[in-house]
Every structure is written in structure tokens, then in C-alpha cells.
Amino acid sequence: MRREFGCITEVERGKRYRVSWTEDGVKKTHRVRGTRRDASDYLAKVQAGIEGAAKDITYAEYWRTVVESYLSQLAPKTQSEYRYAWRFLCPAIGAHRVADTTYRAVQATIDKVEAPSTQQKCKALWSKICTMAMLQDGLLSANPVAGVRIKPAARREKRLWDAFEAKAALAAIRGTSYEPLVLLSLSCGLRPEEVFALDWEDLSFGGGYCAVGVSRTVVTVDGKAVEQERTKTAGSTRTSVCGGGFAARLEDLSCGKRGALRPNGRGGRTAPTTVTRNWKKWCERNGVEYVSFENLRSNYKTLAAQAMIPAELARMQMGHAGVGVAEQHYLVANMQLLRLAADMFCELFSTT
């Protein structure tokens, strides 16, 4: 097997190998149990750590020796999405040299992927790999994926409630297990993965308001619920506030309760996929216009605009980053501002 860095010696046929290399003028060795490819991958990782990836490294080798290590630092859901995309890319580009990548070759490969959503995932992963190869290892002078075109995904119309419909829906779900989730999603604009991760202890009440501490998420990875002690971005770790009838009802519901807002009956929290699936079925059975938890976040933003809540305050509630220098660096999300946004939101419902 070709090796320009170090060497591989077979110790036990097909089972154990000794790899050796020189680092800072000192010869070093390491024994690898496994196949010859395992030994080669180990040596390639050592090389990447010392002098960068080899100039003739293939995508399959780069994935195993460099990208896999990078993936371990990412959130589980992101890891899963990248591995999913790699299953499409590997057969097409695994044997190709990273340094030989061109825009036209990338475009031709991406064009062969049928689904627009999968195209998007493949492009995102390939771009990430090329950025690493360019900035960390000098294998590329520019990112050839940057200008690649993908099929536009079909836009699905979002079904949202107006204020009158929202009041009717809240009356219909009163007393159900979905009520606290819908109340918080609609009145604070929380992401589904944020609201599904809430415990009753994350809610605090005072002065007619409910303050919601958002600091973790629950996501679905490969069909399993994974709880993370982190939010989507650093700015998404925040306190959101609702008031009026939303806060009053949540305080009533919280009386004597601990743990997950939507428990699963076994001492844990219900998986996001179960909640979303059953919520849709419940709406269909009970004649309530279905709005997904994802769209309830959009519903908040839309109603907030109708209530004339300044965009800066709505972004604070939703955990979005500021769009300008003043907002990013000088506007502080204090309780007075959050309560003001909550009051303006509730005013829209009191006049409906």
C-alpha cells in the first residue's frame, strides 16, 4: 500500500500491524489491531495532525481520517444529517482525490441526486469537507462547492391561526396534555425542540407573567429522542415571557407538578415524534384546525407583527440573533422589555 508518510509492517497476518513514523526527528511506533486499512487510517491521522493530509488523499480516506474526528464534536442531530448525506456522496466521490475537485464535477454529482432536500444536505456536507480541506490542509485554493446550484425545494404553505382561531383552539384543547405545549409555543415562539424539553421547574411566575427558562433541547436522531444540555445557538439560551391569560392558565396547570410538561407515563418525557404525530391526530378527531408545533413558532411571529411588537423584541423572545450592530451589541433582553412584548401580544387577544 502506498505511503509517503511513515510505514506499515504486518505483525500478525490480517490482524495486527505496526505503524512507524518520524516526528520532530524522533522515530515513533504504534501497534494497531485490525485490518491493514485500519493501520493506514491511523497513520493518516497522525500525518494530518503533524503536517496536514496527504496531497493525494481520497475523499474516503479524508472522511475516515479527518472528517470523522470533526463529527464527534458536533451535536448528535448534525452528525446524523452529515452521515446520511455521506451515504449518498461516498459511492460517487469516495475514490476521487480531494485536491482534484472542480466546480463542474461537484455540479454533475449533485445533479444526480433526485430529492431537493437530499441535494441540500449533500451540498452542505461537501462544502464543509472542502472548507476543511482548504483551510486546514491546503488541499484546495478555493471551495468549488460554493457556487453549485441545487433544485428549489417545493414550498409548502404554512397553515397558521389568526387571533380568533387561536382563542378557539386554546378553548378546545383546555385540559388536554397538549395544552401547556401549545400555550408556550404560541405565546413565546419557542422552537419545538425547546418546548418539548421543558420541565415545570423551568417556569416561574410573578406579577401576572410566566418566565420560561430555555436552556436545553430534545431532538430526534435516527428515530430516537436525544436530550441535549444546549440550545441551537448560544443566543437561543434565554428567558422568554408570556403574560395575561397565557400566564394565568400555565400557573393553574403547574400547581403541584414537577418534571416534563408532557410525561410519557414511565417517568420520562414523551418523544417529539410521538407528540407531533398524536397532536395532528387529535386535531383531526376533534375538528381543530391543525397547526404543527414548528408552525406555531411562525404563528407567534406573525401575530407579534400584527400586534405591532417591534421586531427586536420578537427576536429576543424567539432566541434569534440581532440583525444590526446596535441590536447585536447594545440591546439587552431585560425583563421589562420582555414583559412589554408579552403585554402587546396579549392585547391582540383581548381585542379579538
Side-chain angles (χ1 to χ4, degrees):
M1 180 178 290
R2 166 192 55 79
R3 280 247 63 97
E4 296 180 358
F5 174 87
C7 65
I8 300 173
T9 304
E10 190 174 53
V11 176
E12 184 178 353
R13 187 173 181 80
K15 294 182 178 180
R16 286 192 302 158
Y17 295 84
R18 182 176 63 251
V19 297
S20 59
W21 68 96
T22 301
E23 184 177 346
D24 296 330
V26 179
K27 186 174 181 179
K28 296 188 176 183
T29 63
H30 179 80
R31 293 205 174 195
V32 176
R33 183 178 295 276
T35 65
R36 190 176 186 88
R37 195 183 83 172
D38 294 330
S40 181
D41 286 351
Y42 181 88
L43 199 53
K45 288 179 183 178
V46 173
Q47 178 183 12
I50 296 175
E51 57 185 39
K55 298 298 181 184
D56 57 353
I57 194 169
T58 66
Y59 272 101
E61 293 169 336
Y62 198 71
W63 175 268
R64 293 193 302 266
T65 61
V66 178
V67 182
E68 282 281 10
S69 298
Y70 164 75
L71 289 183
S72 64
Q73 305 169 33
L74 304 179
K77 190 174 183 66
T78 306
Q79 289 186 44
S80 177
E81 290 177 349
Y82 278 163
R83 294 186 193 282
Y84 172 83
W86 180 244
R87 290 201 295 271
F88 285 86
L89 288 177
C90 184
I93 69 173
H96 296 178
R97 298 197 327 169
V98 177
D100 293 340
T101 309
T102 65
Y103 160 81
R104 296 187 187 283
V106 175
Q107 185 68 70
T109 302
I110 292 294
D111 284 342
K112 294 176 183 177
V113 180
E114 291 294 330
S117 60
T118 305
Q119 273 196 340
Q120 178 63 53
K121 289 181 173 66
C122 288
K123 179 183 176 182
L125 172 61
W126 204 341
S127 181
K128 176 64 70 175
I129 293 174
C130 286
T131 297
M132 295 171 65
M134 179 177 64
L135 299 180
Q136 298 178 15
D137 297 301
L139 300 177
L140 296 164
S141 58
N143 189 335
V145 185
V148 167
R149 304 177 307 278
I150 59 174
K151 300 172 187 175
R155 291 183 63 85
R156 292 180 295 178
E157 183 180 356
K158 289 184 177 181
R159 178 65 182 94
L160 307 179
W161 295 324
D162 60 27
F164 179 81
E165 291 170 322
K167 289 178 70 173
L170 292 176
I173 66 171
R174 191 177 180 89
T176 71
S177 60
Y178 304 104
E179 187 179 7
L181 302 178
V182 174
L183 284 167
L184 288 164
S185 298
L186 182 64
S187 65
C188 294
L190 304 185
R191 297 179 178 91
E193 62 266 28
E194 295 170 346
V195 76
F196 294 155
L198 288 174
D199 292 335
W200 287 106
E201 291 88 335
D202 296 318
L203 310 185
S204 58
F205 301 91
Y209 298 93
C210 172
V212 187
V214 181
S215 62
R216 61 183 176 275
T217 54
V218 174
V219 296
T220 302
V221 180
D222 299 330
K224 297 181 180 179
V226 176
E227 187 165 331
Q228 306 173 120
E229 294 298 323
R230 58 185 293 277
T231 51
K232 184 175 182 180
T233 65
S236 296
T237 299
R238 66 195 185 282
T239 298
S240 294
V241 174
C242 64
F246 294 99
R249 180 57 182 161
L250 285 165
E251 187 167 14
D252 287 344
L253 290 171
S254 70
C255 185
K257 293 181 182 175
R258 299 179 60 83
L261 295 189
R262 183 64 159 76
N264 60 10
R266 299 187 301 274
R269 66 180 77 252
T270 305
T273 51
T274 302
V275 177
T276 54
R277 181 178 64 250
N278 291 346
W279 163 239
K280 184 175 183 179
K281 291 180 178 178
W282 186 93
C283 289
E284 292 171 348
R285 289 196 308 269
N286 292 275
V288 173
E289 188 70 38
Y290 170 68
V291 177
S292 69
F293 282 98
E294 181 179 358
N295 285 351
L296 282 173
R297 179 168 165 84
S298 298
N299 217 145
Y300 168 80
K301 186 66 173 71
T302 302
L303 291 175
Q306 187 177 339
M308 303 297 290
I309 298 175
E312 297 91 336
L313 299 190
R315 282 192 285 268
M316 285 180 177
Q317 290 274 55
M318 300 176 73
H320 279 164
V323 296
V325 173
E327 189 178 341
Q328 288 179 356
H329 300 289
Y330 302 110
L331 186 61
V332 178
N334 61 41
M335 191 57 63
Q336 186 176 359
L337 286 175
L338 295 175
R339 287 184 171 186
L340 174 62
D343 288 341
M344 295 177 72
F345 191 81
C346 289
E347 182 66 22
L348 178 66
F349 286 82
S350 67
T351 57
T352 301

